[in-house]
Amino acid sequence: MTDINPNQKKDWEQEVEKTIQRFPERKQSFRSSSNIEVDRLYDSDEDTYELGYPGQYPYLRGIQPTMYRSRLWTMRQYAGFGSASETNKRFRYLLEQGQTGLSVAFDLPTQIGYDSDDVMAEGEVGKVGVAIDTLTDMETLLNQIPLDKVSTSMTINAPAAVLLCMYIAVGEKQGVPLEKLTGTIQNDILKEYIARGTYIFPPKPSMRLITNIFEFCQNNVPKFNTISISGYHIREAGSNAVQEAAFTLANGMAYVDAAIESGLDVDSFAPRLAFFFNAHNNFFEEIAKYRAARRIWARIMKEEYGAKNPKSWKLRFHTQTGGSTLTAQQPDNNIVRVTLQAVAAVLGGTQSLHTNSRDEALSLPTEDSARIALRTQQIIAHESGIADTIDPLGGSYYVEALTNEMETKILEYIERIKEYGGAVQAIEEGYMQREIQQNAYETQKNIEKQEEVIVGLNQFKLDEEVNPDLLKVDEALEKAQIENLEAIRSTRDQKEVESRLENLRKTAKNSKTNLIPYILDAVKAYASVGEICNVLRDEFGEYTGF
C-alpha cells in the first residue's frame, strides 16, 4: 500500500512557495565549503513515489515543506534547580547565549503535588528542579522573560493543570493575551504509570484532567501544546527504540480516545498534540525511529480516527539526548555522545532539541556544562551543513530499509496493545512494564559481559578518575523556601483562598464539568500547589500503583 499520489511533487513545490513567503529560507543560496550548490531536496524519479515529500502526507521526510532551510529547530535547554530566582538567572543566561526556548524542570515535591513545608518534601526541595509552591514562585521564575516572545516547555504531569494555570496567570499579569502564549505542558500521565512514577491520582480522574486541559486550551490558549506524549522516560527506564516508539504512540491513541469520549472532535485538539522522544547512541536506528513514528502517526490519525485537518496528522516532537547513556566515568566523553545523539535527532527531523550536559550523570549541570551543551546545538546548526538540505539521508538503502523494518516492529507492538483493549488496560495488566524490564535486564547483562561496549565504563577505563567541579544546591534553600511560603500564606486573603478551594472541591464531584477555570481561580488567589492537589486527592483518591 502506498500513501503517495503522483502529483505530490507539484503539490510540494506549491507549498514551498507559500512557506517561504511567510518564512524565507535562511540564505539566498546554500553552498558547501567547495562552493557546490546544495539543493533544497534530493530525490529520484525511481523511488520518490515511496518516499514522498516533506510537508506532505505521510510526512516520512518531515512535517514542513522547507524544514530547517527556513527555520531551525528550537534550542530548548531543560533547566531548573533550587529556588525560582536562581533558575530565573539560569534561564536569562541561556537566552542571552542564544537559546530559543525555555524548558522547566520542577523539583520532586512539585511534581507530586506537595508544598515545600510538607513532611513528604523534606530533603527534596529544589534538588532535581525548581521549587514552585504558589503563583509568587512562578512570577519570580519568569521575571523579565517576555511570554509573548519566548515559548516555554514544562515537564510536569500529575499537577500539570495547576502549573499551567500559574503560567497563564503570569502571562495575564504581563499583559500577554492568552492567544499569544506559546509552549508545551508535558501532561502525560500514562508514561508515569509505565516508567517514571510521579503520579498522584488514579487513571480515570487523571485522564479527566488531561482532557479538561485539551478543551480549555482549545478555547482559550490555542497556541499552547496541551500534551507532550513522552517516550523519553520509557527509554530511560530501559526500553529499546522500537518499544519507545510503540508504547508512546499507543499512549497517544489512548489520549485521543479519551478526548473523543469526552465529546471533543478529533480535529479540535489533535493539532496541539506533541511528542517527546529520546535520542540514544545507535545513530541510524534513532533516525529511522523518528521517520517511522512520523509515518505511523499520520496513518493512524487519518485512517483510524478520520481526522480531516492535515495538522492533525503531523507528528510534532521534541527530542532530548539520552540521560541514561551518560557515564559518571570520564564525563567529558559525554560531550561526544550528546553530539552524535543530537545529530541523529536533527537528521530525524525534530522540531526542538535539548542537549544534555556532560556532568548530568553526577549532578545538575554547571553553567559551563550547560553552555557547552547549547553550543553543541549551535555548531550543528551553523557549521555542519546538516540543516542546509531536507532529509539528507532520505533514499539511503540502509536508512529506508531500517525505517521500514522498525515500522513493522512498532506496529506489531501496537496491535498487541490493542488486543489488551488499549494502552490503559495494557498498563494496568503490567504488559509494557514487563517488556521494558526484560529489555533493561538483557541490556545490563550485555554491558556486564562487555558484549556492549561503554567507553570508559567497561572498556578503555582510567586508573584514576579526575573529580570535576559539580553544581551543589545550597542546603539553606529549603528553609528559605518554606519561609517564603509562610509569608505568602500570612499576607494572602485566606477567606478567598478557602472559598475558591471549596468551589474546586464541589466542581470535582461533577465529572462533566471542566476543572481548569476553578484551578485558575484558586491559583490567582495564591492557593498553593499542595493545597489544590490535596483538594483533588480528597475527591479523586490517591493512586498507589498497579
Side-chain angles (χ1 to χ4, degrees):
M1 169 184 142
T2 181
D3 306 286
I4 314 302
N5 70 70
N7 298 319
Q8 209 170 40
K9 184 168 188 177
K10 187 180 292 183
D11 293 344
W12 170 69
E13 289 169 344
Q14 291 172 352
E15 286 299 315
V16 166
E17 292 307 311
K18 291 180 189 175
T19 300
I20 60 179
Q21 286 176 17
R22 291 183 61 214
F23 305 109
E25 292 188 333
R26 292 179 291 113
K27 299 176 184 178
Q28 288 291 328
S29 174
F30 290 84
R31 293 184 175 275
S32 74
S33 61
S34 303
N35 203 33
I36 298 169
E37 186 167 0
V38 179
D39 291 345
R40 183 177 289 124
L41 182 75
Y42 291 87
D43 58 15
S44 163
D45 291 338
E46 294 179 7
D47 60 15
T48 298
Y49 196 74
E50 294 302 323
L51 297 185
Y53 288 89
Q56 299 284 312
Y57 179 88
Y59 309 107
L60 176 69
R61 305 198 71 179
I63 64 168
Q64 303 298 348
T66 57
M67 289 301 288
Y68 309 134
R69 297 261 296 200
S70 291
R71 298 175 72 187
L72 295 168
W73 61 94
T74 302
M75 299 178 194
R76 192 187 299 281
Q77 293 300 99
Y78 186 49
F81 61 92
S83 68
S85 61
E86 286 182 276
T87 302
N88 174 264
K89 289 175 188 172
R90 176 65 64 87
F91 282 162
R92 285 159 59 194
Y93 170 78
L94 288 168
L95 290 170
E96 288 166 3
Q97 296 300 312
Q99 178 170 301
T100 51
L102 298 179
S103 183
V104 187
F106 296 97
D107 72 354
L108 190 57
T110 305
Q111 291 181 49
I112 49 180
Y114 291 117
D115 289 334
S116 296
D117 61 352
D118 194 293
V119 65
M120 294 294 288
E122 188 174 347
E124 292 293 339
V125 176
K127 287 293 176 67
V128 298
V130 62
I132 300 291
D133 291 315
T134 70
L135 180 57
T136 298
D137 292 318
M138 189 66 85
E139 291 166 353
T140 303
L141 180 70
L142 300 170
N143 183 39
Q144 298 182 54
I145 295 171
L147 299 190
D148 56 340
K149 294 182 174 66
V150 176
S151 72
T152 305
S153 173
M154 294 188 283
T155 302
I156 195 75
N157 295 281
V162 184
L163 278 298
L164 174 61
C165 286
M166 288 183 174
Y167 191 86
I168 290 169
V170 172
E172 288 181 345
K173 283 174 174 283
Q174 289 189 4
V176 179
L178 295 190
E179 61 270 18
K180 288 193 174 181
L181 289 175
T182 60
T184 303
I185 194 89
Q186 191 160 102
N187 195 28
D188 175 11
I189 203 64
L190 293 180
K191 67 93 174 47
E192 299 295 328
Y193 298 131
I194 295 171
R196 196 160 174 265
T198 60
Y199 44 75
I200 301 175
F201 315 114
K204 189 172 182 180
S206 293
M207 295 296 269
R208 174 190 175 185
L209 284 167
I210 289 166
T211 55
N212 282 178
I213 289 172
F214 287 1
E215 182 182 33
F216 180 85
C217 288
Q218 169 200 329
N219 295 325
N220 298 280
V221 199
K223 291 185 178 178
F224 219 87
N225 296 323
T226 52
I227 193 168
S228 179
I229 305 157
S230 177
Y232 182 85
H233 307 91
I234 290 169
R235 192 66 175 278
E236 292 292 285
S239 80
N240 59 36
V242 165
Q243 291 168 337
E244 176 196 352
F247 298 165
T248 305
L249 297 179
N251 286 350
M253 294 169 73
Y255 293 124
V256 173
D257 290 337
I260 292 172
E261 190 177 327
S262 76
L264 296 177
D265 178 78
V266 65
D267 284 318
S268 73
F269 65 87
R272 301 317 302 176
L273 301 180
F275 290 80
F276 175 21
F277 289 117
N278 207 308
H280 251 243
N281 284 338
N282 194 310
F283 187 74
F284 291 105
E285 183 178 58
E286 294 302 297
I287 296 165
K289 175 187 74 180
Y290 305 128
R291 299 172 89 248
R294 200 159 40 232
R295 186 162 61 188
I296 292 168
W297 185 250
R299 289 171 176 164
I300 286 171
M301 293 307 294
K302 185 177 182 181
E303 297 172 14
E304 295 193 31
Y305 289 104
K308 301 290 190 295
N309 185 347
K311 291 180 179 178
S312 299
W313 308 335
K314 294 181 180 181
L315 184 141
R316 298 171 300 116
F317 68 95
H318 171 72
T319 307
Q320 180 173 339
T321 56
S324 62
T325 68
L326 305 180
T327 62
Q329 298 82 6
Q330 301 178 43
D332 284 350
N333 293 347
N334 294 327
I335 297 172
V336 183
R337 293 186 178 101
V338 166
T339 302
L340 286 168
Q341 294 163 7
V343 169
V346 171
L347 290 171
T350 193
Q351 276 60 68
S352 62
L353 178 61
H354 165 90
T355 33
N356 289 335
S357 297
R358 60 184 170 178
D359 47 7
E360 288 190 51
L362 295 160
S363 71
L364 292 168
T366 63
E367 194 171 273
D368 281 351
S369 294
R371 185 181 63 253
I372 292 169
L374 176 59
R375 293 287 184 258
T376 300
Q377 294 202 48
Q378 292 165 334
I379 290 167
I380 293 168
H382 298 289
E383 297 186 26
S384 71
I386 287 173
D388 291 353
T389 188
I390 303 166
D391 189 30
L393 292 180
S396 154
Y397 293 124
Y398 178 41
V399 170
E400 298 304 343
L402 191 55
T403 300
N404 291 340
E405 181 67 18
M406 291 196 76
E407 180 171 348
T408 299
K409 291 183 177 297
I410 290 165
L411 289 171
E412 286 172 358
Y413 263 116
I414 290 174
E415 286 305 312
R416 265 175 269 172
I417 290 165
K418 285 181 180 177
E419 290 170 8
Y420 278 92
V424 175
Q425 292 78 7
I427 293 165
E428 287 178 340
E429 295 193 34
Y431 169 66
M432 298 186 205
Q433 297 93 310
R434 289 193 301 273
E435 290 291 303
I436 294 168
Q437 289 161 6
Q438 184 60 37
N439 190 76
Y441 174 66
E442 295 297 332
T443 300
Q444 186 59 34
K445 281 201 305 183
N446 290 339
I447 292 170
E448 290 174 4
K449 291 177 182 175
Q450 297 189 20
E451 291 175 4
E452 185 171 324
V453 174
I454 309 294
V455 173
L457 177 67
N458 62 5
Q459 285 194 33
F460 314 110
K461 296 185 280 188
L462 293 177
D463 294 331
E464 191 173 329
E465 290 283 345
V466 176
N467 293 322
D469 292 331
L470 300 176
L471 178 72
K472 292 182 174 61
V473 176
D474 188 349
E475 295 296 331
L477 168 95
E478 185 166 330
K479 183 172 181 290
Q481 183 70 19
I482 291 170
E483 288 174 353
N484 290 341
L485 178 57
E486 289 171 349
I488 294 298
R489 287 185 176 137
S490 68
T491 56
R492 69 188 183 180
D493 185 335
Q494 189 59 31
K495 286 187 178 178
E496 190 63 29
V497 171
E498 291 171 3
S499 171
R500 296 188 188 192
L501 289 174
E502 185 57 30
N503 287 341
L504 175 61
R505 185 184 304 279
K506 290 175 183 175
T507 308
K509 295 178 188 295
N510 182 354
S511 63
K512 301 297 183 184
T513 307
N514 193 309
L515 294 174
I516 307 306
Y518 298 88
I519 295 172
L520 184 57
D521 279 348
V523 160
K524 289 179 178 179
Y526 291 84
S528 68
V529 171
E531 290 165 341
I532 294 168
C533 288
N534 284 339
V535 167
L536 298 178
R537 280 185 176 95
D538 291 344
E539 297 306 316
F540 295 159
E542 197 165 3
Y543 203 69
T544 55
F546 292 102

